[in-house]
């Protein structure tokens, strides 16, 4: 369904973009918020993500990645760009903290998300240790490839190759299931 919607977005269909947003915004917002660690910034970054989707949907290739993987990569990259551009001395005091309403996920959605997470982590467990560790740190923890290369003491190109090969194996596993 998302593949078809992205194809319609590429053709300029605004309703298709709304469909993509409705189906993916919660997941992408979680990724962006984890990296930005500021709700307002994450909302702004998420808006940039969907502008990017609108502008680049024609470049999406379902043979290379699932729609969610493609969208999550855009979200992750935009959030990392925001984090890099952010001034290091920008700290907000407790008195400025925003009050956040309870946005707890309903039980059926939580169960489905937990099942997807178990499946994802099961597939990650099947991948070679270095690759799985790098994928977890990059896509769950929000680390940049450069940070991971430095952490593991390997060249940046090596880290990118590990992650790329790991993502291919992950996709194969998820497609089987």
């Amino acid at each position: 369904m998302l593949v078809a919607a992205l194809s319609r977005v590429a053709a300029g269909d605004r309703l298709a973009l709304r469909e993509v947003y409705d189906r993916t915004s919660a997941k992408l917002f979680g990724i962006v918020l984890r990296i930005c660690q500021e709700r307002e910034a994450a909302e702004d970054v998420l808006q940039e993500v969907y502008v990017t989707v609108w502008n680049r949907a024609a470049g999406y290739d379902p043979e290379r990645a699932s729609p969610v993987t493609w969208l999550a990569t855009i979200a992750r990259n935009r959030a990392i760009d925001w984090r890099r551009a952010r001034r290091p001395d920008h700290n907000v005091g407790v008195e400025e903290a925003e009050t956040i309403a309870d946005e707890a996920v309903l039980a059926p959605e939580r169960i489905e998300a937990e099942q997807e997470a178990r499946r994802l982590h099961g597939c990650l467990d099947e991948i070679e240790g270095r690759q799985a560790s790098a994928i977890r740190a990059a896509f769950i923890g929000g680390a940049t490839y450069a940070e991971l290369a430095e952490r593991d003491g390997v060249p940046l190109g090596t880290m990118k190759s590990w992650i790329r090969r790991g993502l291919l194996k992950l996709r194969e596993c998820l497609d089987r299931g």
Side-chain angles (χ1 to χ4, degrees), residues 7 15 23 115:
S7 176
L15 290 176
R23 291 176 180 267
Q115 289 172 341

Side-chain angles (χ1 to χ4, degrees), residues 60-83:
Y60 169 67
D61 180 2
E63 296 297 317
R64 291 189 57 186
S66 73
V68 173
T69 300
W70 185 72
L71 293 164
T73 301
I74 293 171
R76 178 183 171 277
N77 291 341
R78 288 288 177 196
I80 289 171
D81 290 345
W82 175 87
R83 192 171 84 180

Side-chain angles (χ1 to χ4, degrees), residues 20-165:
V20 171
Y21 176 86
D22 289 343
R23 291 176 180 267
T24 61
S25 61
K27 180 178 193 72
L28 298 185
F29 183 71
I31 292 168
V32 170
L33 182 59
R34 201 171 304 122
I35 295 169
C36 293
Q37 297 180 344
E38 293 179 18
R39 185 173 189 80
E40 188 174 315
E43 290 169 352
D44 292 342
V45 170
L46 187 65
Q47 181 178 353
E48 291 177 25
V49 168
Y50 286 101
V51 169
T52 301
V53 170
W54 177 257
N55 291 325
R56 295 190 185 162
Y60 169 67
D61 180 2
E63 296 297 317
R64 291 189 57 186
S66 73
V68 173
T69 300
W70 185 72
L71 293 164
T73 301
I74 293 171
R76 178 183 171 277
N77 291 341
R78 288 288 177 196
I80 289 171
D81 290 345
W82 175 87
R83 192 171 84 180
R84 286 180 181 150
R86 195 174 133 211
R87 292 188 340 229
D89 62 335
H90 177 65
N91 292 320
V92 177
V94 173
E95 63 279 355
E96 297 178 39
E98 179 181 348
T99 305
I100 301 174
D102 180 12
E103 296 180 4
V105 179
L106 299 174
E109 288 86 6
R110 187 171 49 240
I111 291 169
E112 184 177 332
E114 288 171 2
Q115 289 172 341
E116 284 183 27
R118 276 195 301 275
R119 188 165 159 241
L120 174 65
H121 287 288
C123 285
L124 279 170
D125 290 342
E126 292 181 18
I127 297 174
E128 190 264 323
R130 295 178 304 186
Q131 292 172 349
S133 173
I135 290 169
R136 283 184 170 106
F139 291 94
I140 297 172
T144 65
Y145 289 2
E147 291 169 342
L148 294 173
E150 184 177 325
R151 177 194 79 179
D152 290 356
V154 297
L156 179 59
T158 299
M159 180 56 63
K160 288 179 178 181
S161 293
W162 286 355
I163 291 174
R164 185 178 62 253
R165 286 192 304 266

